Amino acid sequence: SQTIHQWPATLVQPVGSPLSLECTVEGTSNPNLYWYRQAAGRGLQLLFYSVGIGQISSEVPQNLSASRPQDRQFILSSKKLLLSDSGFYLCAWSETSGLRRRTYEQYFGPGTRLTVT
Amino acid sequence: AQSVTQLGSHVSVSEGALVLLRCNYSSSVPPYLFWYVQYPNQGLQLLLKYTSAATLVKGINGFEAEFKKSETSFHLTKPSAHMSDAAEYFCAVSEGARGGADGLTFGKGTHLIIQP
């Protein structure tokens, strides 16, 4: 079965410090990968998605960047954190097109709670 | 373009009462529809999905949802609420391949409160 991991689970960082959040997926190949941010009391904001190694699409211009160095690894980074970067960061994966009919659901990791002080 | 509207940011029901969470969607093609649940400080868990088979979809934890094309709705119900159902619920829509790899559009969520 497939599993998705995120770390760290919680992080407290000062303003201006760098950031690296990691997401890995097991049990599937060539997944679509996604980074979302969830601010307090608000819905999900799609930040980045990736359809393959080195292929990143950004949904919202911001202080963050993403990379996909390996098929099942997705990294969210920042060179200098802002207070507004605080939130709950969720990684998700979905199947890509193949022989089996897709149903387009996404599967989410446990999340990382980031507090910028 | 696809969109989702969840009516009511907060819904409060008594334990044992019917749970009804409303979701209306907009899609230019037959949609794929989903309900997710999120417990505090956790990721989203897929409750159920509609993929153009049966219009009444049964999910985990006793939840079900009915796809009504004429009303563009996909409301989530549970006959009898349990204290453990207290959580945030998200409705989501996908236009499938037409929507591209970034396919899912989420509603803003409904916080379900269970009164003892």
Side-chain angles (χ1 to χ4, degrees), chain B residues 81-94:
Chain B
H82 191 272
M83 295 299 291
S84 61
D85 295 327
E88 191 83 15
Y89 291 81
F90 293 93
C91 182
V93 63
S94 170

Side-chain angles (χ1 to χ4, degrees), chain A residues 9-10 106:
Chain A
T10 60
Q106 293 179 13

Side-chain angles (χ1 to χ4, degrees), chain A residues 41-42, chain B residues 6-13 20-22 87-89 108-115:
Chain A
R42 301 177 68 177
Chain B
Q6 291 185 239
L7 297 176
S9 59
H10 291 77
V11 170
S12 179
V13 301
L20 171 61
L21 303 183
R22 299 178 187 274
E88 191 83 15
Y89 291 81
K108 294 186 182 301
T110 297
H111 186 64
L112 178 62
I113 301 163
I114 311 297
Q115 304 281 2

Side-chain angles (χ1 to χ4, degrees), chain B residues 30-77:
Chain B
Y32 296 83
L33 294 160
F34 311 91
W35 275 100
Y36 286 86
V37 61
Q38 184 181 32
Y39 298 100
N41 293 310
Q42 294 185 26
L44 276 69
Q45 180 183 8
L46 182 65
L47 267 180
L48 49 80
K49 60 184 179 183
Y50 167 76
T51 58
S52 77
T55 57
L56 182 62
V57 181
K58 293 187 183 298
I60 61 173
N61 301 338
F63 285 93
E64 62 183 36
E66 186 172 10
F67 172 69
K68 292 187 177 181
K69 183 179 178 180
S70 61
E71 299 177 7
T72 61
S73 69
F74 190 56
H75 302 331
L76 182 70
T77 60

